[in-house]
Amino acid sequence: MKIDGLFRAADPRSGLLQSAYARIEAMQQASAAEAVQALLARDVTPLAFKGVDLTPRYFADGSPSAMNDIDLLVKRDEIGRARTALLGLGFRQAYFDETRGALVDADIADIADVERMHYELYPFRRILPIDFEPAVAAELRASPAKQPLVFDDDGGAWLVDEIDLHHSVALDVDPQPLFARARMSVVPGALALDAADHLWLITSRCYNEVALHGKRSLRDFAYIVGILRHESVDWSRVLAVASEYEMRPALYYYLRFADSLFSNRVVDPEVWSRLDPRQGSRARDWGWQLACLFDTLDAFPEWAKRPGGGHPPACP
């Protein structure tokens, strides 16, 4: 579920995995810093978002799990220079072929298909050697969680260092205001999404990916809780975005769940009335979507059991 790094169990295996995640994170942060400097040298302003900025910001004691990639946003007219900068660092637009045990350059037609239809480029990847103690490597091999790692037959380990270069965060979202509201990232030299933009982006994306793409990781909830715990969120902006992009269901259910994890709720009740999914389009309203994440079944709604039917209760 991609949050095992948050557990401080007495089981010695927990410590082994935490040390591995720290090692992976250190290499990825170094890679991100290197990429940012190369981009700045070509007059490209990168904005870091998701794990590369939020993990060191909120989880200094240990990453929830290993990040699969580094997400950077650049302006659309800077894409050409950004691509050149990453290629100059040894990154390739390539995929890892397990049968060959190597990176294979993507076909130009596949690259064109991805980049024509998406708001990000085909992933940039390179492979870097990474050292683990034998016991740590054994735990990583045994872990069911997806890792950005490759192990060779001689016991060596390699990090699949991946950068996802975006020119927007969604097909229908104008990225320019995100740059205007950005703050400094923990990655030296980079900008980062501010707390409110990070919150609505991560929450809505997670909700849609659970419904449409079978996502089952809980890692995004760790980020959401981190934002709610540590930041003063501009809720007026979150509510404005929810209204503009018909995003109420995607925010209402998962933010309410995250808020319920606090002993003292941190979100003003007025937010829930403003995010009530019934106030706008419910085209992408899939309910709580917690049962599939926690492998349970939703209970039949009590209001529907009343003799003669009944009506659902109003949202509090």
Side-chain angles (χ1 to χ4, degrees), residues 2-307:
K2 301 288 281 183
I3 57 169
D4 55 292
L6 299 179
F7 291 92
R8 303 295 187 265
D11 186 337
R13 291 176 300 177
S14 175
L16 291 175
L17 285 174
Q18 287 169 4
S19 69
Y21 296 155
R23 176 72 178 126
I24 294 168
E25 182 188 351
M27 288 192 64
Q28 290 173 321
Q29 289 295 327
S31 178
E34 181 187 21
V36 166
Q37 292 306 310
L39 292 168
L40 292 173
R42 291 186 174 272
D43 296 322
V44 176
T45 303
L47 188 154
F49 66 105
K50 295 177 61 178
V52 68
D53 180 75
L54 297 181
T55 296
R57 192 181 290 274
Y58 301 136
F59 301 101
D61 292 336
S63 174
S65 62
M67 290 192 305
N68 291 324
D69 51 56
I70 296 165
D71 290 288
L72 297 176
L73 174 69
V74 300
K75 296 175 182 177
R76 190 179 180 93
D77 61 359
E78 297 175 347
I79 282 292
R81 299 196 301 277
R83 191 195 306 265
T84 300
L86 294 184
L87 294 176
L89 294 177
F91 285 95
R92 298 155 55 188
Q93 290 186 285
Y95 62 93
F96 185 79
D97 188 323
E98 293 188 5
T99 60
R100 303 188 199 182
L103 284 180
V104 176
D105 291 325
D107 185 271
I108 57 172
D110 294 333
I111 293 175
D113 286 342
V114 168
E115 297 185 353
R116 182 173 61 252
M117 302 299 295
H118 292 78
Y119 47 86
E120 60 186 289
L121 303 192
Y122 193 97
F124 292 81
R125 297 183 174 102
R126 63 183 180 181
I127 297 182
L128 303 175
I130 184 169
D131 296 324
F132 295 116
E133 295 294 329
V136 174
E139 285 302 319
L140 288 168
R141 285 176 176 267
S143 172
K146 181 181 178 182
Q147 311 285 356
L149 301 170
V150 178
F151 295 92
D152 61 34
D153 294 336
D154 298 323
W158 304 80
L159 173 67
V160 180
D161 189 22
E162 177 178 329
I163 291 182
D164 286 348
L165 196 63
H166 302 249
H167 52 80
S168 186
V169 295
L171 290 174
D172 58 347
V173 173
D174 179 6
Q176 295 306 316
L178 302 181
F179 281 94
R181 298 190 293 256
R183 59 181 173 179
M184 294 308 299
S185 173
V186 295
V187 181
L191 299 174
L193 290 179
D194 84 337
D197 287 329
H198 244 143
L199 185 63
W200 67 255
L201 174 64
I202 291 173
T203 307
S204 61
R205 177 175 290 184
C206 179
Y207 186 80
N208 288 317
E209 289 180 349
V210 169
L212 299 174
H213 305 299
K215 181 171 184 169
R216 295 298 179 261
S217 166
L218 298 179
R219 184 184 176 101
D220 285 343
F221 283 110
Y223 297 148
I224 293 167
V225 168
I227 294 172
L228 294 178
R229 173 180 291 140
H230 296 288
E231 304 285 357
S232 178
V233 176
D234 182 350
W235 287 103
S236 65
R237 189 187 318 144
V238 174
L239 294 171
V241 169
S243 176
E244 180 179 0
Y245 295 108
E246 294 288 357
M247 202 182 286
R248 290 184 185 88
L251 298 180
Y252 177 87
Y253 296 109
Y254 277 6
L255 286 179
R256 287 210 73 161
F257 170 66
D259 189 50
S260 75
L261 301 177
F262 290 87
S263 55
N264 295 312
R265 303 298 175 88
V266 296
V267 181
D268 190 308
E270 174 64 18
V271 170
W272 307 132
S273 64
R274 298 279 301 278
L275 287 179
D276 186 334
R278 295 173 298 182
Q279 295 188 36
S281 171
R282 303 189 73 172
R284 292 199 170 194
D285 185 345
W286 296 291
W288 292 95
Q289 284 201 116
L290 296 175
C292 57
L293 289 175
F294 293 96
D295 197 25
T296 65
L297 291 175
D298 286 329
F300 193 78
E302 289 296 324
W303 63 265
K305 297 179 182 178
R306 297 173 186 166

